[in-house]
Each structure stands twice: as C-alpha cells, then as structure tokens.
Amino acid sequence: MPHLIIEYTDNIKEEANIPELLKTVNATLLIHQDMIPIGGLRSRAIELNNYLVADGTADDAFVHVTLKLGKGRSVETKKQLCDELFSALKRHFSSIYKRRYFALSLELYEFTSPTYKLNNIHERYKN
C-alpha cells in the first residue's frame, strides 16, 4: 500500500517536468519490490496554488514528498529506501536548485493503525 504524494509550488511547474518525476520515483521505489508491492504503489503530484514560503517577499519554491508505508519494515530498510528516493529527487531538481531559491523535503510516514483497503490490481502481477 505504498503511497507517494508530491506537493509542489506552481511557480516551478513549467520547469519541474512532473510526469518524468513520477516515472523516476516509481522506478526508484520498484527497485525494492520485496518492500514495495507493485500493485499497491500509488504516486501522485499535487500542484499548490495557495502557499507562502519564508516571509513571502520572494518567489521561493518548494517540493515536499510524503512516502506512506504500512508497518513492518526494519529501520535499516526504511533508511535505504528513503536515501535512494531522496537522491533521485535531488538529481531531478538539481537544475532548479542551482537557479533559484528552492526547498526540497522528504517525509516517511508509517501507518501504525490498521488500514482498510480493497485492491485487485495485485492479481495482474502474480506469477
């Protein structure tokens, strides 16, 4: 049930290549199909139109990524996954970071309570 949510400020939409970013983050996560079941992965990007960065006097931009995972993975496994994901994000946004004021962050959220789900997409990927 991994969910990846990318929030980005609308002032970078022309240069951020969000469709390519979604492909990149999915490919990065799916390297670890033992932890990230392909049929459960959902990635999406949400353009933010109402936001304020710092004191609001400049045209600052940000991207915040939240990775939501079910419980049960080791600390080492989660760290490796997040390190690889953050490296991919930094590569994708490196040119924006060099040209303008920009903040990039990644947060891992692990569900501790039961989740309720219905998903037959997994069936397509069974051997």
Side-chain angles (χ1 to χ4, degrees), residues 1-5 36 44 64-73 78 81-82 85 106-115:
M1 90 149 289
H3 287 246
L4 188 81
I5 303 153
I36 305 293
R44 64 246 191 211
H64 179 72
V65 178
T66 304
L67 175 60
K68 296 183 177 188
L69 296 174
K71 62 183 175 180
R73 293 161 180 88
K78 291 182 287 190
L81 189 63
C82 288
L85 183 57
L106 169 64
E107 167 189 24
L108 173 63
Y109 178 85
E110 186 174 28
F111 291 99
T112 55
S113 299
T115 58

Side-chain angles (χ1 to χ4, degrees), residues 33-97:
Q33 287 191 35
D34 55 326
M35 295 183 287
I36 305 293
I38 190 170
L41 180 56
R42 287 142 184 76
S43 298
R44 64 246 191 211
I46 302 166
E47 182 181 308
L48 303 174
N49 303 110
N50 298 295
Y51 54 88
L52 187 64
V53 181
D55 64 2
T57 60
D59 188 32
D60 298 332
F62 74 85
V63 171
H64 179 72
V65 178
T66 304
L67 175 60
K68 296 183 177 188
L69 296 174
K71 62 183 175 180
R73 293 161 180 88
S74 71
V75 171
E76 297 81 18
T77 297
K78 291 182 287 190
K79 181 179 179 343
Q80 179 186 7
L81 189 63
C82 288
D83 286 349
E84 290 176 17
L85 183 57
F86 197 64
S87 291
L89 291 164
K90 288 190 302 186
R91 281 191 305 276
H92 183 85
F93 289 108
S94 65
S95 63
I96 292 174
Y97 186 81

